[in-house]
Amino acid sequence: GLTPRDLKSATGRRYLTSAGLRLVNVCSAATDSYTRVRFMREEEKEEAREKVVRHPKESDLKFYVRRYCVVTGLDSHSILQHEFETEYFAWAKRSGSGLVEPITKRKLLEFGIGFERRSLEVISSTLWDIPPNLISQVERKIVT
């Protein structure tokens, strides 16, 4: 089996190097996240289906957050911006209410949702594993 390793330790760095790998820190629009929110689990969705009703003149965004998300107040709970927007716009298109509004950080802050550009450390065999549009935004951490 595989043995857990601390990849930031000297032993872990040697292990990565011997396998032709390196750690790369990615911090770009691809890592933008909405914080203090998470998607509901399936059982929560079932429960909300019966309890959450749309208010008159409520925007699609506000209803979507109340119906499919849990605003937790915990910074450790987050949803990638791209994932949230993809799910929201697909749902809004299916619902067809016509009250779709653009997603803005200010609007989500009104709901108690924060925004953060997160730094993610990933293992890469070469820098070309990273999409070309992100390479200029990558801080290279070559493990030696």
Side-chain angles (χ1 to χ4, degrees), residues 55-69:
H55 301 306
K57 297 185 181 180
E58 183 176 39
S59 72
D60 271 355
L61 180 59
K62 185 164 188 161
F63 180 66
Y64 179 81
V65 169
R66 288 191 320 106
R67 173 67 178 81
Y68 294 99
C69 301

Side-chain angles (χ1 to χ4, degrees), residues 93-104:
K93 186 176 180 180
R94 287 190 310 269
S95 75
S97 72
L99 298 174
V100 178
E101 65 179 291
I103 300 171
T104 63

Side-chain angles (χ1 to χ4, degrees), residues 50-104:
E50 299 169 6
K51 294 181 180 178
V52 179
V53 295
R54 189 176 205 131
H55 301 306
K57 297 185 181 180
E58 183 176 39
S59 72
D60 271 355
L61 180 59
K62 185 164 188 161
F63 180 66
Y64 179 81
V65 169
R66 288 191 320 106
R67 173 67 178 81
Y68 294 99
C69 301
V70 177
V71 179
T72 65
L74 301 173
D75 287 331
S76 60
H77 288 158
S78 66
I79 302 172
L80 286 173
Q81 179 183 18
H82 174 73
E83 183 180 5
F84 181 88
E85 291 176 354
T86 300
E87 293 292 322
Y88 166 67
F89 287 120
W91 172 84
K93 186 176 180 180
R94 287 190 310 269
S95 75
S97 72
L99 298 174
V100 178
E101 65 179 291
I103 300 171
T104 63

Side-chain angles (χ1 to χ4, degrees), residues 40-52:
M40 286 184 178
R41 293 183 295 272
E42 288 305 315
E43 59 271 9
E44 292 172 316
K45 286 181 188 177
E46 290 299 320
E47 193 176 302
R49 183 172 292 139
E50 299 169 6
K51 294 181 180 178
V52 179

Side-chain angles (χ1 to χ4, degrees), residues 8 17 20 26 36 83 94 129 132:
K8 292 184 179 184
T17 302
V26 178
R36 301 189 299 272
E83 183 180 5
R94 287 190 310 269
D129 290 343

